[in-house]
Amino acid sequence: MTDAVIQITQENHIYTLTIHRPEALNALNKLVFNELEAFFTTHANDPEIKGVIITGAGEKAFVAGADIKEFSSLNADQGMMLSKRGQDIFFLIERFHVPVIAAVNGFALGGGCELAMACHLRIASQSARFGQPEVNLGLIPGYGGSQRLPQLIGKAKAMELLLTGNMVSAEEAFRLGLVNEITDSGNVLNRCREIIQIISTKAPLAIKETIRILENPGLNNSQGYEDEHITFGNLLVTEDSREGASAFAEKRKPSFLGK
Ligand code: CAA
């Protein structure tokens, strides 16, 4: 037995990483980050690996966000560091040399939606729900969502989702271009494996370069990521953000004062 929060399986050189924190709807805490980092650095130059699938344990959630219960003890600098760490780990995923596919079962909210967006493709079950609800916590996204969401779905819809904090269904996410395909919940992992299998028959150097070139400076504004983690840290210590996290833990509506 291990205390790992990510279960890793491998079949035919396709790895499946299952984030397993059912008590917190698979929310991203330090341990999840450490294990993601270890996997993606260990396999950074692995010539055998064909692809990686990231999913969440259970039917209810892919990942319900950053672990809100870890926020209350953080000061602004620690908030910035947390956000920067999340961004850096998600860059490891985005820059991985073979396809990484998010198999989205259930809620993909906040950091969970950001994790899915850092993957190269997203395959969702019909029950998947996507959203960036950080405004309910007095925050902005901290793991690249303010940059990747407008890249994927355009500024108008990204602005709407980020300002309202509303969730969208799998169908709506597909219509917006956030999701590549929707499939039955029992078939999501199989479909991801099929796609990786197809891609693995193509020229490896071309696959690697395709992934790299889509992350070009025209699409990726490093200033935007820096602005995101600094703003995240500064907002994390506002009274409103403390109130948002307390209200979440106490299962009540937050009362925001604009401070
Ligand atoms: N962090 C920590 N714990 C979480 C969590 C999170 N993001 N999401 C859910 N949980 C916990 C709940 O506190 C609850 O624990 P207890 O049983 O101990 O009370 C358990 O998981 C089950 O959750 P709910 O009882 O809330 O389940 P529900 O079905 O009523 O609601 C939900 C499901 C709508 C997803 C709701 O859990 C929810 O709104 N979660 C938070 C979503 C969110 O705001 N995500 C963004 C986080 S901030 C972020 O990610 C910032 C960033 O970009 C870096």
Side-chain angles (χ1 to χ4, degrees):
M1 281 300 280
T2 124
D3 293 333
V5 288
I6 301 186
Q7 296 168 343
I8 303 178
T9 56
Q10 190 256 121
E11 207 183 320
N12 292 329
H13 306 288
I14 298 174
Y15 285 79
T16 302
L17 311 188
T18 305
I19 300 174
H20 192 269
R21 295 192 66 222
E23 72 287 359
L25 300 186
N26 305 324
L28 303 170
N29 66 359
K30 279 184 208 145
L31 294 173
V32 177
F33 276 165
N34 291 345
E35 291 175 29
L36 283 174
E37 182 181 44
F39 179 86
F40 284 100
T41 47
T42 304
H43 292 278
N45 296 309
D46 182 345
E48 301 288 329
I49 189 167
K50 289 182 177 172
V52 183
I53 301 166
I54 301 181
T55 193
E59 290 293 307
K60 189 166 173 180
F62 172 69
V63 166
D67 193 318
I68 299 166
K69 292 166 189 170
E70 286 188 344
F71 287 173
S72 57
S73 61
L74 302 180
N75 63 31
D77 283 347
Q78 290 166 329
M80 286 177 210
M81 277 159 56
L82 172 72
S83 173
K84 176 83 168 57
R85 174 142 178 81
Q87 289 180 353
D88 287 346
I89 289 166
F90 288 7
F91 281 134
L92 290 177
I93 296 173
E94 189 172 51
R95 294 170 182 164
F96 204 58
H97 60 296
V98 290
V100 184
I101 307 188
V104 184
N105 48 307
F107 292 113
L109 300 176
C113 188
E114 294 172 288
L115 172 61
M117 291 192 289
C119 295
H120 303 125
L121 299 169
R122 285 151 293 284
I123 306 299
S125 72
Q126 267 129 2
S127 63
R129 296 282 176 279
F130 295 81
Q132 295 288 157
E134 285 85 353
V135 284
N136 297 327
L137 300 163
L139 291 171
I140 62 164
Y143 303 154
S146 67
Q147 307 304 299
R148 291 192 182 98
L149 190 63
Q151 279 174 19
L152 285 169
I153 68 171
K155 184 171 168 182
K157 275 292 171 182
M159 188 70 88
E160 181 185 324
L161 291 190
L162 290 168
L163 291 180
T164 62
N166 283 347
M167 281 186 230
V168 294
S169 65
E171 283 79 13
E172 178 67 357
F174 176 70
R175 218 180 50 74
L176 291 172
L178 183 54
V179 152
N180 295 86
E181 269 183 48
I182 305 174
T183 183
D184 297 334
S185 43
N187 194 39
V188 181
L189 290 176
N190 271 341
R191 183 62 190 135
C192 293
R193 282 186 205 106
E194 263 173 31
I195 294 170
I196 290 173
Q197 204 59 50
I198 293 167
I199 297 172
S200 74
T201 65
K202 316 295 176 189
L205 291 178
I207 295 303
K208 184 178 166 187
E209 290 303 312
T210 300
I211 291 171
R212 189 191 61 74
I213 210 144
L214 283 181
E215 208 228 336
N216 66 40
L219 284 173
N220 249 341
N221 167 9
S222 61
Q223 179 61 42
Y225 285 96
E226 190 179 339
D227 196 1
E228 181 185 81
H229 70 247
I230 292 172
T231 308
F232 182 89
N234 285 332
L235 284 173
L236 194 67
V237 291
T238 59
E239 285 181 36
D240 282 353
S241 172
R242 299 304 195 204
E243 163 64 6
S246 304
F248 176 74
E250 293 157 19
K251 301 189 189 291
R252 61 173 172 80
K253 262 187 172 302
S255 167
F256 293 133
L257 300 171
K259 296 191 204 167

